[in-house]
């Protein structure tokens, strides 16, 4: 697509904001797509929801709302748009469809999965329930609709402890992230039965790396996502969801910070916090990175890659998400 003078002028205010993150030569490739997508979404009354791990040209260039997975689910329920384009992974698009079953929900690349979501099936949950009769099931939203259909209440990293405590029981089955389960267990008296799922991005971090960075950067604040292994969480100053981490930086304005999470977070948060220095060892989520501007334009233009679920699955799975939304953050 051509980077015309008209497109350059129209996209200039966006570029001014992110010029420190995206080199000018790269901008000439992104800008025509940003221009077209922003035009088309108005024509079609579409809303673009983006997870915090999306690249800066998506996060700052075209998204109407960018957030953690809890806020994306709540926003999907509220939106007045006819079409929701989910710039995130498959479970996020499915969750949006559960919250807004009458809307058209599009995912720019259907292959954008999640190692946690693919670690467990509805059948696995049924077996666990048989082995633990009467024990309620709390599932991370990073699961398929089939798993959600077998779940009493969903949670995200932003409210996992609150949701587990809200049930008023002695024991819960908590799926599928073993590290998040360990983190929740460290914050509650409720006994946790977990599953062996892990996030392929966060499991790669370790405390040796963090201690080394601390040694070389005295005073640095280390903030970690709860999908990290326990040694990483113990070596950190703060643990929270992606939006929790963003809020920590905004509120505390540390001189130097390391966000122990997916790479795009630091790029995105740097834009709004120019005085904070980001030390950036990070890991890429290959699923999140499948979402690109050309794919977003294509799926919005042709209304392809629609999330389709049977009424029965929607009916069964949405209750657990709605219950989570009622309990909140
Ligand atoms: P958040 O709910 O914290 O945004 O996390 C979602 C996710 O997939 C993290 O890897
Ligand atoms: Fe899934 Fe991990 Fe990617 Fe989040 S970062 S979408 S948990 S694989």
């Amino acid at each position: 697509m051509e980077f015309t003078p008209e497109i350059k002028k129209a996209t200039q205010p966006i570029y001014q904001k992110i010029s420190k993150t995206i080199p000018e030569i790269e901008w000439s490739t992104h800008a025509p797509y940003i221009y077209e997508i922003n035009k088309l979404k108005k024509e079609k009354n579409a809303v673009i929801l983006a997870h915090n791990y999306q690249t800066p040209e998506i996060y700052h260039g075209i998204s109407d709302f960018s957030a953690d997975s809890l806020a994306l689910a709540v926003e999907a329920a509220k939106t007045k748009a006819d079409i929701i384009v989910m710039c995130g992974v498959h479970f996020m698009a499915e969750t949006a469809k559960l919250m807004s079953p009458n809307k058209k929900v599009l995912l720019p690349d259907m292959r954008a999965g999640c190692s946690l979501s693919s670690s467990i099936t509805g059948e696995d949950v049924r077996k666990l329930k048989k082995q633990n009769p009467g024990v309620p099931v709390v599932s991370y939203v990073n699961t398929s609709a089939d798993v959600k259909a077998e779940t009493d209440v969903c949670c995200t990293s932003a409210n996992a402890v609150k949701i587990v405590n809200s049930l008023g029981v002695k024991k819960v089955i908590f799926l599928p992230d073993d590290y998040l389960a360990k983190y929740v267990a460290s914050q509650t008296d409720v006994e946790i039965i977990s599953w062996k799922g892990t996030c392929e991005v966060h499991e790669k971090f370790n405390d040796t790396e963090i201690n080394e960075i601390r040694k070389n950067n005295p005073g640095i604040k280390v903030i970690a996502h709860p999908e990290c292994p326990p040694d990483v969480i113990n070596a950190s100053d703060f643990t929270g969801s992606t939006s929790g981490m963003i809020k920590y930086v905004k509120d505390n304005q540390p001189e130097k910070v390391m966000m122990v999470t997916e790479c795009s977070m630091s790029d995105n948060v740097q834009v709004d916090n120019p005085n904070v220095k980001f030390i950036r060892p990070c890991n890429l989520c290959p699923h999140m990175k499948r979402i690109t501007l050309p794919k977003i334009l294509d799926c919005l233009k042709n209304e392809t890659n629609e999330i389709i679920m049977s009424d029965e699955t929607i009916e069964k799975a949405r209750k657990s998400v709605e219950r989570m939304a009622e309990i909140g953050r």
Side-chain angles (χ1 to χ4, degrees):
M1 284 172 88
E2 209 190 329
F3 187 39
T4 61
E6 185 200 351
I7 291 177
K8 186 171 183 177
K9 192 168 167 230
T11 56
Q12 189 58 25
I14 303 172
Y15 188 57
Q16 242 165 18
K17 204 173 165 205
I18 51 177
S19 59
K20 288 207 174 70
T21 309
I22 299 181
E24 206 161 351
I25 183 96
E26 220 181 279
W27 184 247
S28 59
T29 315
H30 295 318
Y33 286 99
I34 289 175
Y35 179 77
E36 279 304 316
I37 292 167
N38 285 336
K39 205 164 68 159
L40 203 54
K41 76 180 181 192
K42 277 198 198 114
E43 284 166 24
K44 292 196 172 214
N45 190 27
V47 68
I48 299 187
L49 306 185
H51 184 260
N52 291 324
Y53 292 163
Q54 292 297 295
T55 49
E57 66 276 12
I58 295 173
Y59 184 95
H60 292 286
I62 56 156
S63 93
D64 298 293
F65 185 80
S66 42
D68 64 3
S69 44
L70 176 60
L72 290 177
V74 172
E75 185 64 21
K78 284 198 305 211
T79 182
K80 298 263 186 297
D82 297 315
I83 299 175
I84 298 171
V85 180
M86 179 56 75
C87 297
V89 294
H90 195 271
F91 77 81
M92 293 175 179
E94 261 190 0
T95 306
K97 182 72 182 173
L98 293 175
M99 294 303 263
S100 251
N102 300 324
K103 303 247 145 90
K104 194 176 253 189
V105 178
L106 309 176
L107 179 65
D109 189 323
M110 286 299 205
R111 298 167 303 167
C114 169
S115 64
L116 282 169
S117 185
S118 60
S119 74
I120 189 160
T121 63
E123 185 51 31
D124 292 327
V125 187
R126 282 192 286 279
K127 277 191 197 145
L128 273 169
K129 289 206 281 195
K130 257 200 195 134
Q131 288 160 6
N132 300 278
V135 179
V137 177
V138 177
S139 295
Y140 203 23
V141 278
N142 299 39
T143 45
S144 64
D146 286 343
V147 168
K148 289 185 174 82
E150 298 296 333
T151 294
D152 292 288
V153 53
C154 283
C155 73
T156 74
S157 58
N159 60 9
V161 177
K162 188 175 177 189
I163 298 273
V164 166
N165 286 336
S166 77
L167 296 173
V169 293
K170 289 206 168 75
K171 206 195 261 188
V172 301
I173 299 170
F174 186 95
L175 308 169
D177 187 349
D178 195 31
Y179 290 145
L180 182 63
K182 285 194 167 67
Y183 174 69
V184 173
S186 76
Q187 308 286 312
T188 178
D189 292 331
V190 179
E191 187 188 332
I192 306 280
I193 299 166
S194 65
W195 183 254
K196 285 285 165 210
T198 50
C199 161
E200 65 186 87
V201 177
H202 291 92
E203 71 177 351
K204 291 196 190 111
F205 293 107
N206 60 69
D207 60 352
T208 314
E209 178 182 20
I210 294 177
N211 293 336
E212 190 63 24
I213 284 167
R214 275 203 198 277
K215 217 164 66 191
N216 297 331
N217 297 275
I220 191 169
K221 294 293 178 199
V222 177
I223 61 178
H225 195 276
E227 287 168 11
C228 292
D231 60 328
V232 171
I233 297 202
N234 292 336
S236 304
D237 297 297
F238 172 80
T239 304
S241 76
T242 54
S243 290
M245 295 166 93
I246 294 173
K247 186 171 177 333
Y248 179 96
V249 174
K250 186 171 173 246
D251 293 350
N252 294 286
Q253 292 291 301
E255 208 174 299
K256 267 190 198 176
V257 74
M258 174 188 170
M259 291 184 139
V260 190
T261 191
E262 213 275 342
C263 300
S264 289
M265 277 275 285
S266 295
D267 295 339
N268 291 334
V269 184
Q270 173 79 84
V271 171
D272 298 320
N273 297 276
N275 299 324
V276 177
K277 185 166 169 40
F278 289 77
I279 305 294
R280 295 166 190 254
C282 61
N283 292 316
L284 272 179
C285 173
H287 310 289
M288 289 281 178
K289 265 45 262 195
R290 283 193 184 276
I291 309 300
T292 60
L293 290 172
K295 288 183 198 169
I296 296 166
L297 178 59
D298 187 69
C299 99
L300 181 56
K301 197 187 264 174
N302 301 308
E303 298 186 24
T304 46
N305 290 359
E306 183 178 357
I307 301 291
I308 307 279
M309 279 187 270
S310 71
D311 291 347
E312 195 195 338
T313 306
I314 291 179
E315 198 46 47
K316 281 184 86 182
R318 73 182 290 194
K319 289 194 189 99
S320 58
V321 185
E322 277 176 351
R323 212 169 149 196
M324 167 184 82
E326 278 159 26
I327 298 170
R329 198 171 283 270

